[in-house]
Amino acid sequence: MTTTEACAPADALLSTRNLNVSYPGQGWRAPRTEVLHDVSLDIRPGETLGLVGESGSGKTTIGRAILGLAPVASGTVSFDGERIDHAGRARRRQLSRDIQVIFQDPYTSLNPSRTVGDTLAEPLLGHGAGTKEARLRVGDLLARVRLPADAAARLPREFSGGQRQRVAIARALALRPRLIICDEPVSARTAPPQRGRASARQCGTATAGAVTRRGMPDRRLWKAVGLFGLGFSVFGAYE
Ligand SMILES: Nc1ncnc2c1ncn2[C@@H]1O[C@H](COP(=O)(O)OP(=O)(O)OP(=O)(O)O)[C@@H](O)[C@H]1O
Ligand SMILES: [Mg+2]
């Protein structure tokens, strides 16, 4: 995946510049596989950026590079003006409050042996909330993604795939992050959690959506990226 752009705007929440990611080749002296070549993008507060591309073109890798989970060979990732492409573990942990992720597969991203309430409370308690405050907030989060309040006492296996994905969305919203990276977040969803999305906007969140043609989150995004044509690695922003 390749893009080019000169300099980052001052008001960008997230920027990448000339980002290059390559993975080691398989076998003795095998050349590295370059996945991202000079990728530059910007997301301002309140903006949504969709990435569309063929399978294997590097959409997930961009998200992983932003999260510090992919090997950045060169280039920069900046969040709120701070370089984070080589942030250490302690800084990454702090950043996890501001940068959240929703993965495609709710089966693997939720702990099967923890109740939904515990899953949602964990980040809150880990970032200093009291037990009572966390319980209230869990109820609020469940309502936002249109799950019943008694969902807190149930295990992930007691929900449909779409409901589980809403739990994952609620978890991502729990700490009121400033940026959410969504990797095909709606492919397992039953009904659109409109309020969840609205909430993300209300708290000034920018959403980076990594989606394929099959996993379009809604018509507006489709319209924006559709202008650039199908089958290519393109970026489309709206709002
Ligand atoms: N850990 C890894 N080691 C080696 N190669 C990898 C690794 N992760 C991804 N790749 C390669 O990087 C390329 C981009 O993968 P990526 O998962 O970013 O694609 P994608 O655009 O998200 O695809 P999809 O639409 O299928 O999810 C692929 O060719 C893939 O094989
Ligand atoms: Mg992917």
Side-chain angles (χ1 to χ4, degrees), residues 3-153:
T3 68
T4 50
E5 202 163 317
C7 43
D11 59 346
L13 180 64
L14 180 96
S15 294
T16 73
R17 281 298 170 277
N18 304 106
L19 193 61
N20 290 282
V21 170
S22 63
Y23 289 106
Q26 299 288 325
W28 174 244
R29 289 192 176 177
R32 292 179 72 87
T33 309
E34 291 198 325
V35 178
L36 303 184
H37 318 271
D38 286 343
V39 170
S40 299
L41 57 84
D42 299 299
I43 302 172
R44 295 176 181 82
E47 273 185 352
T48 299
L49 178 77
L51 307 181
V52 179
E54 292 176 346
S55 185
S57 58
K59 304 179 297 296
T60 294
T61 302
I62 289 182
R64 290 176 60 81
I66 293 167
L67 293 164
L69 300 173
V72 174
S74 63
T76 62
V77 180
S78 303
F79 181 76
D80 208 9
E82 173 196 349
R83 282 275 301 272
I84 59 166
D85 40 85
H86 288 91
R89 283 171 72 101
R91 183 66 190 124
R92 277 283 164 200
R93 184 172 150 62
Q94 292 166 343
L95 284 168
S96 70
R97 182 173 194 125
D98 285 330
I99 306 177
Q100 283 285 317
V101 60
I102 302 170
F103 292 106
Q104 176 180 9
D105 182 1
Y107 292 84
T108 51
S109 66
L110 295 177
N111 185 333
S113 60
R114 305 200 75 174
T115 64
V116 163
D118 284 347
T119 292
L120 295 182
E122 185 184 19
L124 299 166
L125 296 169
H127 282 87
T131 321
K132 190 177 168 199
E133 184 190 348
R135 198 169 49 239
L136 287 172
R137 186 107 175 86
V138 166
D140 174 50
L141 288 164
L142 289 172
R144 278 191 185 191
V145 296
R146 296 191 190 167
L147 286 172
D150 67 5

